[in-house]
Amino acid sequence: MVAPQGDGPRGEREDHIQDVWTVANVITVLRLLLIPFFFSVLLSDRSDFLAFALFAAAASTDWLDGMIARRTGTVTTIGKAIDPLVDRLLIAAGVIGLHLIGRLPLWIVGVLVARDVYLLWGAWRLERHRERMPVTYLGKATTAVLLAGFSLLMLGWPHIELGGTELLLGKAIVYLGLALSLASAVHYTILARRLVEYGDVRPGTRLERGR
């Protein structure tokens, strides 16, 4: 009788780790396919609400694929790779599209793109040491805040008053997300140094294993 395969961290099972077409991965691929549709609608200026709906559908299901993967024990190698990639592409499409239609300044695009390039470079450096950085809760929070801000900016509503100046709530949330993105970049840098020097992060650092 063959013993069942053991579970790894948070939904990883050896008998599913190399699977490709799991339910969670299909949802991730569908999120990826929504990105060009959302981007074309946003730039065409046909409907702010339709652009918002497509973007929100891709953004709001980010938690769904990870939850399904963990609860069904189908966290996979390819899922752990493409899920954060889809998040990065969604953020890039959102910030570039909002700049092109005049709702975000160019410097925000520059900061967010530079931050992602830096993190990709860091991930490449870690691969050379045969290490891989798990997604942190701060990183997940940064993504959620930026996606929420972009969604509201696409709607162009609501407006708030801040320091006597009227401002779109979505833009204020994006500024918060920008601050979090810089903080998370610093955090990832510190954790990466610990991984290289000690082979693991020190106790007390909360990491989200899996997707």
Side-chain angles (χ1 to χ4, degrees):
M1 183 175 179
V2 179
Q5 299 289 338
D7 289 357
R10 297 203 62 184
E12 289 188 24
R13 287 174 47 181
E14 292 178 10
D15 53 339
H16 287 297
I17 193 68
Q18 298 302 327
D19 288 357
V20 176
W21 293 112
T22 63
V23 173
N25 288 350
V26 168
I27 293 173
T28 302
V29 171
L30 290 176
R31 292 178 61 227
L32 178 63
L33 294 176
L34 280 175
I35 295 175
F37 287 104
F38 135 74
F39 194 72
S40 62
V41 171
L42 181 65
L43 295 189
S44 69
D45 201 29
R46 285 196 295 262
S47 169
D48 285 349
F49 182 78
L50 180 58
F52 159 78
L54 291 171
F55 184 84
S60 62
T61 49
D62 179 33
W63 64 274
L64 183 62
D65 50 8
M67 181 193 70
I68 290 174
R70 289 188 293 272
R71 290 193 175 182
T72 60
T74 54
V75 172
T76 64
T77 299
I78 190 171
K80 290 191 290 183
I82 64 174
D83 186 57
L85 176 62
V86 171
D87 289 343
R88 301 274 67 79
L89 290 174
L90 190 59
I91 287 176
V95 70
I96 292 171
L98 286 166
H99 168 67
L100 291 177
I101 63 173
R103 297 185 190 177
L104 275 180
L106 183 60
W107 69 268
I108 290 183
V109 180
V111 170
L112 290 178
V113 171
R115 180 253 191 189
D116 279 355
V117 170
Y118 169 71
L119 291 181
L120 286 172
W121 173 79
W124 173 75
R125 290 292 301 272
L126 281 177
E127 287 289 341
R128 296 182 63 186
H129 292 276
R130 297 184 178 181
E131 298 285 357
R132 185 175 179 180
M133 177 66 68
V135 178
T136 65
Y137 285 95
L138 178 58
K140 279 289 187 183
T142 298
T143 299
V145 170
L146 286 172
L147 294 179
F150 294 161
S151 297
L152 291 177
L153 275 179
M154 287 169 204
L155 280 179
W157 178 89
H159 289 78
I160 61 173
E161 190 169 314
L162 191 64
T165 303
E166 191 176 75
L167 181 72
L168 281 168
L169 177 60
K171 185 171 286 189
I173 294 175
V174 168
Y175 288 148
L176 173 60
L178 190 65
L180 289 174
S181 72
L182 296 176
S184 66
V186 172
H187 189 215
Y188 277 126
T189 301
I190 294 170
L191 296 183
R193 290 180 64 87
R194 291 176 183 171
L195 276 174
V196 172
E197 293 178 8
Y198 305 108
D200 200 354
V201 294
R202 291 176 181 174
T205 300
R206 299 187 64 196
L207 299 176
E208 181 171 300
R209 299 286 178 180
R211 295 167 72 97

